[in-house]
């Protein structure tokens, strides 16, 4: 349990449900929440829903430590881009939700491997100490 990235002091289990896959297709966010709502699973905090959100605005909303107990500065943010598309083009105008893509922004000053002795030259850092 050697630390290798952002360290956390969690007040919930270490598993956070971020995505739900059926084969190669991603479930829409609303479906993910509906399917995990009755469970004890934690889902990521949504900082914005709607139109575009700049990197600067997202990082400002996350603040230094985000929402899930980060001890270190959060490394970035993830955008989940969904849209409604016509289910039957030219027919009844019915629309269905679709996940277009996910993208992750990582701060340019984030240093990889700072807790790994083979990179840092220092003693290992353990998550439970």
């Amino acid at each position: 349990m050697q630390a290798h990235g952002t360290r956390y002091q969690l007040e919930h289990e270490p598993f956070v449900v971020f995505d739900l896959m059926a084969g190669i297709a991603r479930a829409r966010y609303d479906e993910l929440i509906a399917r995990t709502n009755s469970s004890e699973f934690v889902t990521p905090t949504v900082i914005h829903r709607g139109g575009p959100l700049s990197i600067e605005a997202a990082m400002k909303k996350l603040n230094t430590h985000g929402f899930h107990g980060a001890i270190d500065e959060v490394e970035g943010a993830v955008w989940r881009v969904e849209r409604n598309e016509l289910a039957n083009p030219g027919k009844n105008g019915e629309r269905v939700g679709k996940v277009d893509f996910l993208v992750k922004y990582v701060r340019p000053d984030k240093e990889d491997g700072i807790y790994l002795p083979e990179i840092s030259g220092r003693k290992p850092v353990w998550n439970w100490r």
Side-chain angles (χ1 to χ4, degrees):
M1 298 308 300
Q2 188 174 330
H4 64 279
T6 304
R7 296 170 302 148
Y8 293 86
Q9 185 159 11
L10 297 174
E11 297 194 16
H12 56 71
E13 73 279 351
F15 181 71
V16 177
V17 180
F18 178 80
D19 213 354
L20 181 62
M21 303 288 294
I24 61 169
R26 295 181 187 281
R28 294 178 339 273
Y29 175 77
D30 289 340
E31 180 182 350
L32 169 72
I33 295 305
R35 293 186 57 187
T36 58
N37 200 25
S38 63
S39 68
E40 301 272 329
F41 290 126
V42 175
T43 55
T45 300
V46 174
I47 61 170
H48 176 76
R49 191 166 180 169
L53 180 69
S54 71
I55 292 170
E56 293 79 16
M59 296 306 290
K60 186 175 181 180
K61 286 182 176 219
L62 280 172
N63 208 337
T64 303
H65 301 286
F67 299 97
H68 290 278
I71 297 168
D72 303 314
E73 186 175 356
V74 295
E75 66 180 51
V78 175
W79 278 254
R80 180 184 189 90
V81 180
E82 300 184 15
R83 67 184 160 101
N84 287 323
E85 66 178 13
L86 288 172
N88 298 306
K91 306 268 190 225
N92 59 8
E94 177 188 1
R95 295 188 167 272
V96 293
K98 176 185 176 197
V99 178
D100 270 347
F101 57 90
L102 278 61
V103 64
K104 181 178 182 180
Y105 164 77
V106 178
R107 298 187 338 263
D109 63 336
K110 182 204 176 271
E111 296 179 58
D112 292 332
I114 62 172
Y115 301 116
L116 299 174
E118 58 270 24
I119 293 174
S120 69
R122 297 184 296 247
K123 290 184 178 183
V125 174
W126 302 95
N127 281 317
W128 63 83
R129 294 184 190 165

